[in-house]
Amino acid sequence: MKVTLYITIFVLCFSSNALDAELVSTAPEIVQKAKSQCTELDDGKFNATEQAVTLHDFTGDGRPEKVVDAAQFSCSTSVSLWGGSGGTYLWVIVNGKTYEFLAHKWRVVDVDVDGQQVLLLAVHSSECSDTIGPCYRALV
């Protein structure tokens, strides 16, 4: 029993729950990697909702970029495999490059100034050097 506990603690401490953005660059690869992580954790059962991958045109070129939201993933053997108190993983794929964020919530908004779509992230207050209030990041 103790050996199993120590092995589990070791694996959790020295493995990354985040998907390595350098190794996966497409939405299907990100989802498949998440599924593999879930399955490897005590043969967990993975699920992703239809909203796990969404399309948004952040560059304004008429071709939508993909957003992969780990908040839409679930694993039967872990409640917090892809997030925690700092937020849940969110990947944005732009021109074949993957950007990884942690966010509690997110939304895409149109800005009237120049018609640009903006990714608005509700992030942990520590990202704003504040420990009491809500914090948001706006990304273009």
Side-chain angles (χ1 to χ4, degrees):
M1 175 77 171
K2 283 186 179 182
V3 172
T4 304
L5 178 62
Y6 288 129
I7 291 172
T8 302
I9 291 171
F10 177 80
V11 170
L12 291 175
C13 288
F14 293 101
S15 68
S16 172
N17 285 341
L19 300 174
D20 189 346
E22 294 299 319
L23 298 178
V24 291
S25 60
T26 68
E29 288 174 335
I30 291 171
V31 174
Q32 184 57 47
K33 178 73 174 175
K35 182 178 181 179
S36 295
Q37 288 176 326
C38 176
T39 302
E40 291 170 6
L41 187 63
D42 297 329
D43 198 29
K45 304 299 181 238
F46 177 79
N47 186 53
T49 71
E50 291 181 14
Q51 294 82 27
V53 179
T54 56
L55 304 175
H56 305 277
D57 185 9
F58 294 117
T59 61
D61 64 0
R63 294 180 297 153
E65 285 69 46
K66 291 183 179 173
V67 176
V68 182
D69 184 0
Q72 301 300 316
F73 298 165
S74 63
C75 181
S76 64
T77 54
S78 176
V79 178
S80 59
L81 193 58
W82 302 283
S85 61
T88 304
Y89 285 98
L90 183 76
W91 298 272
V92 180
I93 304 166
V94 180
N95 296 326
K97 186 171 181 184
T98 303
Y99 299 88
E100 181 178 271
F101 305 97
L102 280 175
H104 294 289
K105 296 177 186 178
W106 65 278
R107 178 177 298 192
V108 177
V109 295
D110 290 320
V111 179
D112 289 336
V113 176
D114 60 3
Q116 184 71 43
Q117 286 196 331
V118 176
L119 177 60
L120 187 62
L121 304 176
V123 297
H124 192 273
S125 60
S126 65
E127 287 200 39
C128 295
S129 300
D130 186 359
T131 58
I132 55 172
C135 175
Y136 296 90
R137 292 178 66 192
L139 303 165
V140 178

